Amino acid sequence: MAKTIIETDRIVLRPFEISDFKEVYEFSSNKDIQKYTGDKTIESLQQAKDLIKRVWLNDYNTYGYGRWAVIYKPNNKLIGFAGLKYLPEFNETDIGFRFLPSYWGKGLASEVSEEIIKYGFKELNLKQIIGIAMPENTASNKVLQKTGLQLYKVDEYDGDGKPYNWYVIVNPNNN
């Protein structure tokens, strides 16, 4: 079992492992989850394994952090991901989260995002953290605002020409 990065009352965040591929497939193939992400749904267990290796394990090795597996403690189930991702094209670190729909609306994203921001500032000494959300993704926009991020621009994100809300929070310990 991978080491715990962050723990809250209801959530454990830990690095992904290849053995998580079935759970990764479950949330990464869900059209409702992917609707506001700009990502394509994955279509096979092999694609889930590839995603873990190519993206998350690569980010841990390259940057020292990334999106982490979200374990819901009451039933010990991997329900999605949350964490930080370095975006080299912007030289920024982005906070993000995705959960299975049956876990939406329970305050989990806010609960874990507050701890992720603290971790990013205290453990990684990041100067700031950004969040990017489609304007129509009301829930994610609310989480970003609730956890202290401020809207600073509306701009495209991944070259699709659509507007995205860009948020930022600055490390209060960096002057």
Side-chain angles (χ1 to χ4, degrees), residues 13-154:
L13 291 185
R14 63 156 173 81
F16 277 101
E17 302 170 332
I18 298 297
S19 60
D20 295 325
F21 70 94
K22 288 179 184 165
E23 293 88 348
V24 168
Y25 175 77
E26 184 181 4
F27 68 80
S28 295
S29 64
N30 186 302
K31 288 180 180 19
D32 290 333
I33 296 172
Q34 301 299 79
K35 182 166 136 183
Y36 295 124
T37 68
D39 292 344
K40 292 184 177 14
T41 54
I42 63 171
E43 298 172 1
S44 71
L45 293 174
Q46 185 58 51
Q47 283 183 322
K49 288 180 187 177
D50 292 345
L51 174 64
I52 295 167
K53 277 190 264 189
R54 187 178 36 85
V55 179
W56 298 319
L57 298 183
N58 184 55
D59 282 352
Y60 306 153
N61 290 329
T62 304
Y63 307 115
Y65 60 92
R67 307 291 198 216
W68 298 299
V70 176
I71 312 301
Y72 186 64
K73 287 167 39 175
N75 59 7
N76 196 33
K77 179 172 174 58
L78 196 165
I79 63 166
F81 75 61
L84 299 166
K85 179 173 181 60
Y86 181 68
L87 305 174
E89 64 272 32
F90 303 110
N91 192 29
E92 295 282 5
T93 297
D94 170 65
I95 188 168
F97 38 83
R98 287 186 199 161
F99 305 131
L100 291 168
S102 57
Y103 295 87
W104 293 355
K106 300 180 184 306
L108 298 174
S110 296
E111 178 180 319
V112 80
S113 292
E114 288 173 6
E115 296 304 316
I116 291 166
I117 291 166
K118 287 179 195 170
Y119 180 90
F121 289 159
K122 187 174 176 195
E123 303 299 324
L124 302 175
N125 200 29
L126 298 172
K127 296 200 180 321
Q128 65 182 28
I129 296 170
I130 66 167
I132 304 166
M134 292 179 172
E136 59 272 23
N137 188 347
T138 309
S140 288
N141 282 278
K142 282 183 181 170
V143 169
L144 294 171
Q145 293 166 9
K146 183 177 180 182
T147 54
L149 283 86
Q150 303 289 319
L151 181 69
Y152 73 99
K153 71 177 179 175
V154 176

